[in-house]
C-alpha cells in the first residue's frame, strides 16, 4: 500500500468535490473517514462513517462504512455512553 499517494489523490479529489455526483460524494466521504481511521484519528473518522451510513443510498457503501466503523471503534468513543 502507498498511503502518501492515497492521501495526495484524496486531497486532489476533495478539491474537485463540487463536480462529483451525490453518490460519488458519499464514496469520497467514506474514503476520507477511512483515511482518518488509518491515521489513527478516530474522533474524526467515527462521525464521518456515521454520516455515510445515515446519508448514503448505497447499501454496499453503508455496509462498508459500518464494518469500518466497527473496526475503528475505541472504548469510550461513544458519546451516548460517556
Amino acid at each position: 500500500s502507498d498511503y502518501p499517494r492515497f492521501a495526495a489523490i484524496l486531497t486532489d479529489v476533495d478539491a474537485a468535490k463540487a463536480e462529483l455526483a451525490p453518490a460519488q460524494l458519499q464514496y469520497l466521504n467514506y474514503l476520507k473517514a477511512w483515511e482518518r481511521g488509518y491515521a489513527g484519528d478516530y474522533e474524526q473518522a467515527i462521525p464521518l462513517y456515521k454520516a455515510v451510513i445515515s446519508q448514503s443510498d448505497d447499501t454496499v457503501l453503508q455496509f462498508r462504512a459500518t464494518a469500518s466503523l466497527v473496526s475503528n471503534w475505541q472504548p469510550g468513543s461513544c458519546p451516548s455512553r460517556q
Side-chain angles (χ1 to χ4, degrees):
S1 114
D2 187 354
Y3 175 76
R5 184 168 181 232
F6 169 77
I9 292 169
L10 189 60
T11 299
D12 292 345
V13 174
D14 192 48
K17 67 183 174 188
E19 301 172 27
L20 299 178
Q24 293 171 318
L25 187 56
Q26 285 303 317
Y27 199 81
L28 172 63
N29 289 337
Y30 168 76
L31 292 174
K32 288 165 60 176
W34 186 91
E35 187 275 331
R36 290 291 75 219
Y38 185 86
D41 188 356
Y42 305 115
E43 289 185 14
Q44 285 191 4
I46 290 171
L48 290 171
Y49 283 130
K50 288 182 176 182
V52 171
I53 293 164
S54 67
Q55 297 170 10
S56 179
D57 293 329
D58 183 340
T59 56
V60 173
L61 186 58
Q62 288 174 333
F63 178 81
R64 287 181 179 180
T66 301
S68 297
L69 175 64
V70 169
S71 71
N72 279 249
W73 205 265
Q74 299 294 310
S77 64
C78 182
S80 65
R81 294 185 183 182
Q82 293 179 356

